[in-house]
Amino acid sequence: MRHVELKTLDVQDFSSIIRLIEETSPDEIYNLGGQSSVQASFQQPLYTGQTSGMGTMNLLEALRLIGPQMRVFEAASSEIFGMTDSGMVDEGQDFHPRSPYGVAKLFAYWSVVNYREAHGLHGSNGIMFNHESPLRGMDFVTRKITATLAQIACGSQQMLVLGNLENARDWGFAGDYVEAMWLMLQQDKPDDYIVASGETHSVREFVNLAAAVMGLDIEFDGDGVKTRGLDKKTGRQIVEISHDFYRPSEPDPLVGNASKAHQKLDWQPKVGFEQLVTMMAESDLERAKNGQVWY
Ligand code: GDP
């Protein structure tokens, strides 16, 4: 099967999408394009709206015009839920996004639903909770933690600077979530599915577990931005907290209920939280030993 990649910038450009679809005539399209960092969306709300929101509308409109038989997967996001009164959410949950990213992704989500209902497109939303791997970008907290701690363990970095340690996410393994995306496009009927692990863990838990894999034992003292993480062996501070990594608003801690995907897609994630952190920590430790963490 041939695989063609449409770059993030191109989804803003309608003629690029039309040209690419005409040239490649794909059976399936997986739209993972857009500005994907929640944190960056507060600094770049317009760019985020143009790529993560309008980018999807561009793609759908192109399909309506020249490829209505093509199947399309939209990477929707748990950020569309944002503020909720219950921790556990399913596909029936109300939406109240808490970031420009969440707002843009909600526009994209409804665009897929509308093109399905109005024009009969085979479009499915995967409402993706956070999914991580050793390939995760450094802008995201998981990879920032594993990459920086690995360098600290190897002596090439002094400090891991983080925002709020108490924030929690429902984190899963990207490889498992890609399988769910693919399964959605193999169904006769398009639909919307939550893809999640069903567990939340805090940033602090992630740090402790990653540190343990690398042979570091961190003891925390203080509260909020005064929290310090000390290396128990040397007494040296290796974790500090900065307001720079706090956000103007955060979603409530969310757990995804992926029962619909379990039942209708026969999908089950294979990698649990501990395995995921271990995989990322070991991979970055290996890179740090070879002086190759940053790329
Ligand atoms: P997101 O869920 O897409 O925003 O994924 P991130 O990995 O960027 O952030 C996950 C959580 O970690 C959020 O609640 C952040 O506020 C929190 N967090 C704490 N410290 C940091 C940090 O240094 N960088 C990032 N990116 N997030 C941090």
Side-chain angles (χ1 to χ4, degrees), residues 81-152:
F81 297 125
M83 204 149 78
T84 63
D85 16 350
S86 70
M88 174 74 85
V89 298
D90 61 20
E91 291 81 0
Q93 179 69 38
D94 289 342
F95 305 115
H96 187 144
R98 297 272 286 163
S99 61
Y101 174 79
V103 172
K105 292 303 267 188
L106 187 53
F107 175 88
Y109 168 92
W110 278 121
S111 301
V112 170
V113 174
N114 181 250
Y115 271 68
R116 194 165 70 210
E117 291 174 357
H119 306 298
L121 281 195
H122 193 296
S124 293
N125 283 296
I127 307 174
M128 314 301 282
F129 281 62
N130 296 50
H131 41 289
E132 318 295 313
S133 85
L135 300 176
R136 188 55 140 158
M138 298 290 181
D139 283 348
F140 294 86
V141 75
T142 53
R143 185 75 206 294
K144 179 177 173 183
I145 293 168
T146 56
T148 312
L149 284 181
Q151 288 181 304
I152 291 173

Side-chain angles (χ1 to χ4, degrees), residues 77-79 81-94 127-130 167-172 177 193-202 205 251-259 262 267 269 273:
S77 163
S78 55
E79 287 284 323
F81 297 125
M83 204 149 78
T84 63
D85 16 350
S86 70
M88 174 74 85
V89 298
D90 61 20
E91 291 81 0
Q93 179 69 38
D94 289 342
I127 307 174
M128 314 301 282
F129 281 62
N130 296 50
N167 288 350
R169 288 289 184 273
D170 177 329
W171 277 301
Y177 288 30
Y193 299 89
I194 284 190
V195 183
S197 78
E199 284 176 26
T200 51
H201 297 273
S202 66
E205 279 177 79
D252 292 329
L254 292 177
V255 199
N257 177 351
S259 302
H262 297 163
W267 174 77
F273 178 69

Side-chain angles (χ1 to χ4, degrees), residues 22-295:
E22 277 176 347
E23 277 170 11
T24 58
S25 196
D27 300 314
E28 298 173 7
I29 299 178
Y30 294 83
N31 182 28
L32 314 183
Q35 193 294 102
S36 66
S37 160
V38 176
Q39 190 153 312
S41 78
F42 285 100
Q43 278 91 47
Q44 298 183 303
L46 304 185
Y47 174 65
T48 303
Q50 281 156 2
T51 56
S52 307
M54 274 305 289
T56 299
M57 179 67 98
N58 281 339
L59 176 59
L60 294 167
E61 184 57 8
L63 289 180
R64 182 180 76 82
L65 293 172
I66 61 167
Q69 77 290 357
M70 295 170 190
R71 296 184 173 193
V72 61
F73 166 84
E74 167 67 16
S77 163
S78 55
E79 287 284 323
I80 64 180
F81 297 125
M83 204 149 78
T84 63
D85 16 350
S86 70
M88 174 74 85
V89 298
D90 61 20
E91 291 81 0
Q93 179 69 38
D94 289 342
F95 305 115
H96 187 144
R98 297 272 286 163
S99 61
Y101 174 79
V103 172
K105 292 303 267 188
L106 187 53
F107 175 88
Y109 168 92
W110 278 121
S111 301
V112 170
V113 174
N114 181 250
Y115 271 68
R116 194 165 70 210
E117 291 174 357
H119 306 298
L121 281 195
H122 193 296
S124 293
N125 283 296
I127 307 174
M128 314 301 282
F129 281 62
N130 296 50
H131 41 289
E132 318 295 313
S133 85
L135 300 176
R136 188 55 140 158
M138 298 290 181
D139 283 348
F140 294 86
V141 75
T142 53
R143 185 75 206 294
K144 179 177 173 183
I145 293 168
T146 56
T148 312
L149 284 181
Q151 288 181 304
I152 291 173
C154 293
S156 53
Q157 176 79 256
Q158 303 296 315
M159 193 71 75
L160 170 60
V161 185
L162 291 172
N164 194 337
L165 291 177
E166 313 320 326
N167 288 350
R169 288 289 184 273
D170 177 329
W171 277 301
F173 172 51
D176 285 338
Y177 288 30
V178 167
E179 194 192 351
M181 297 178 193
W182 177 79
L183 283 168
M184 281 176 222
L185 294 202
Q186 311 318 305
Q187 307 306 305
D188 290 339
K189 281 196 179 157
D191 205 343
D192 307 318
Y193 299 89
I194 284 190
V195 183
S197 78
E199 284 176 26
T200 51
H201 297 273
S202 66
V203 173
R204 186 190 289 269
E205 279 177 79
F206 198 105
V207 171
N208 282 330
L209 200 51
V213 173
M214 297 181 197
L216 293 167
D217 195 358
I218 302 179
E219 184 169 45
F220 286 102
D221 67 24
D223 281 326
V225 281
K226 298 224 172 86
T227 306
R228 301 183 319 148
L230 308 174
D231 179 354
K232 267 196 191 168
K233 271 184 220 145
T234 61
R236 203 166 58 76
Q237 182 178 358
I238 55 173
V239 181
E240 84 178 36
I241 305 303
S242 165
H243 253 307
D244 292 349
F245 297 106
Y246 278 59
R247 298 181 185 169
S249 52
E250 281 270 357
D252 292 329
L254 292 177
V255 199
N257 177 351
S259 302
K260 182 173 168 184
H262 297 163
Q263 283 156 21
K264 297 208 166 163
L265 302 177
D266 197 17
W267 174 77
Q268 288 292 343
K270 296 177 190 76
V271 176
F273 178 69
E274 267 195 50
Q275 236 181 315
L276 172 66
V277 179
T278 304
M279 178 201 300
M280 293 179 71
E282 283 177 346
S283 158
D284 271 326
L285 198 55
E286 202 50 41
R287 286 172 175 146
K289 282 180 190 156
N290 301 323
Q292 289 173 343
V293 165
W294 305 104
Y295 56 83

